[in-house]
Amino acid sequence: MASSGIELTSRHVITDPTPVNAPQSSDPEVDDEAAAPVQLPPVARREQASVLLSAFLTICLTIGYNQTYGVFQEYYLSSTQTLLNPPPSSLPNPPTAELAFVGTLGAGLTWAGSIFVNPLISRIEHSHYNHSHLSDPSSRSLFHRLGVKHVTILGVALMCCGFLLASFAMTVTQLLLTQGLLYGIGSSLLYFPLLGPAPEYFTKHRATALGLILSGGGVGGLVLSPALRSLLSTLGAAWTLRVLAGLSLVVGLPVALAVPPSRFPTSQTGTTVARRRTHIQRSLLSQPAFLLSAVAAFTQAAGAQLPLTFIPSYSVSLGFSAGTGATLLATANVVNAVARVITGYAGDRFGRLNALVVSLLGAVAAVFGLWLGSVSEGSNGGRLWLAFVVLYSVSAGGYYALFPATIADVFGIRSYAAVNGFIYFIRGCGTMVGSPVGGTLLGKDSGGSGQYANVVYWDGALLLGSAVCILGVRWADAVRRGWMWRA
């Protein structure tokens, strides 16, 4: 759909209207938002650049790592790993699904933590707004004394501790608690305070800006994939994890201190100043667009992470070296990063939902046409596999760049934090399902690429379901607003 408003500059005061026919509710706060457009103060381009940079680095550090866990997955299952005792490769039934869950737990919690982090940030911002006039520190609330920067700093600390403690792990369970759980909680505490306010600083080119920000996942993966493979082969897992802990501290701490304030810290209704809404309105639960968006988020997250988890191990099954597998994962990430920017721009030009549908259908075609073809050809499927890595990375990048912008379009920028937070919670749950189920389908057979056939069918079915749901969102939005080709 066409974007609303005008680009934020230092010369204009911005009006960012809510969507046409915004959902009504008995909540007076909601009615007030639907009745009048939101007046925003001007934003300098330097401030926009600061938001872009800090959010980009956050994505590099969190999503970039999440997208390279497949390097650890392949290493932990190899006969050369030096961390776990006994080595998983020596067991009659290697814990493939459990090791996949280490990565997907961390990635899933990065997103699923939104349901807790966003309300916390909202309380802190509202407390600062209400208590800023109080000169006596003892009369201020705990949330006012806490501050958003304390949350992001805690997130960096937990990420560092997760990697550091994982370096002393000897069992898969210990990896789940450290490299999975502890890291995942910390990354969520860093991710949402930086990413949540970002769309509020852009209107006309919102999808392009988010594409640039979210390309950080690909850039981070491009750097980390070969670096981690090299470190694992030379230093071993323990010191590699300690290097990751140091990197999280060096890069994460400056980013944590640069967290931008939300432009909607409060909601004004008459003489009442309420907290910025972070919960889902009950009226949304009956809207087809919202329900289909939630299902699409779950299935896409479950399917999208799965190839990234298995790129290194599947490459090895085709006869490539582990180093080549890591290089292919890095290639996938850099292509994905470029694709996020391009699809974000295409969404601003041709409609974000339109571009999102094409992107998802392209991913489905890549899985069923190229990955499945590679599996069918066995050891001769290397060329199809290389083509899959490129085409899938191009098409899969579209969702990440476009879906947050479509949320702002369909549900309104004032509702963005609430809807996006819930959708990311759903995405986190989906992420924690896709790869572990894929690992279970892979089974205990370790011979050849043919064992991946069920994994491919599972991945393709998930992505196809997501594409169908987004088509449903496109239809529901057209019914509600009236048909427009650019939507």
Side-chain angles (χ1 to χ4, degrees), residues 1 19 34 43 59 102 162 180 191 193 240 247 250 275 314 321 344 349 385 394 403 406 432 434 439 441 464 477:
M1 75 191 53
V43 175
I59 291 291
V102 173
Y191 182 94
T240 299
L247 178 67
V250 171
R275 269 197 306 121
Y314 181 74
S321 67
R349 289 291 304 274
W385 174 239
V394 170
F403 197 68
T406 63
M432 289 186 277
L441 293 173
L464 179 60
D477 187 64

Side-chain angles (χ1 to χ4, degrees), residues 321-372:
S321 67
T324 301
T327 301
L328 287 177
L329 185 56
T331 302
N333 279 296
V334 70
V335 173
N336 188 279
V338 175
R340 293 185 188 196
V341 179
I342 295 174
T343 52
Y345 176 77
D348 285 333
R349 289 291 304 274
F350 305 110
R352 293 156 188 169
L353 283 172
N354 293 338
L356 185 55
V357 169
V358 172
S359 175
L360 284 170
L361 291 176
V364 173
V367 170
F368 283 128
L370 297 176
W371 193 4
L372 188 59

Side-chain angles (χ1 to χ4, degrees), residues 146-218:
L146 184 60
V148 177
K149 290 181 181 180
H150 293 88
V151 175
T152 54
I153 291 172
L154 175 62
V156 172
L158 290 177
M159 291 170 63
C160 294
C161 288
F163 288 133
L164 186 60
L165 292 175
S167 69
F168 298 99
M170 298 182 64
T171 66
V172 177
T173 300
Q174 292 170 345
L175 285 180
L176 281 169
L177 294 174
T178 54
Q179 194 174 359
L181 179 65
L182 199 57
Y183 158 79
I185 294 173
S187 63
S188 187
L189 291 173
L190 178 66
Y191 182 94
F192 285 101
L194 270 298
L195 269 292
E200 301 169 6
Y201 286 78
F202 306 91
T203 52
K204 183 178 179 181
H205 300 298
R206 183 177 292 140
T208 303
L210 288 175
L212 287 168
I213 289 171
L214 295 173
S215 68

Side-chain angles (χ1 to χ4, degrees), residues 35-58:
V38 181
Q39 298 292 332
L40 295 177
V43 175
R45 292 191 183 276
R46 184 174 62 180
E47 189 173 0
Q48 289 180 318
S50 175
V51 171
L52 281 174
L53 179 60
S54 59
F56 175 85
L57 290 175
T58 300

Side-chain angles (χ1 to χ4, degrees), residues 29 34 49 62 160 162 178 202 212 259 285 316 348 358 382 387 406 426 444 486:
E29 176 184 326
T62 55
C160 294
T178 54
F202 306 91
L212 287 168
V259 57
L285 299 179
V316 171
D348 285 333
V358 172
T406 63
I426 295 295
K444 63 182 180 180
R486 184 185 178 210

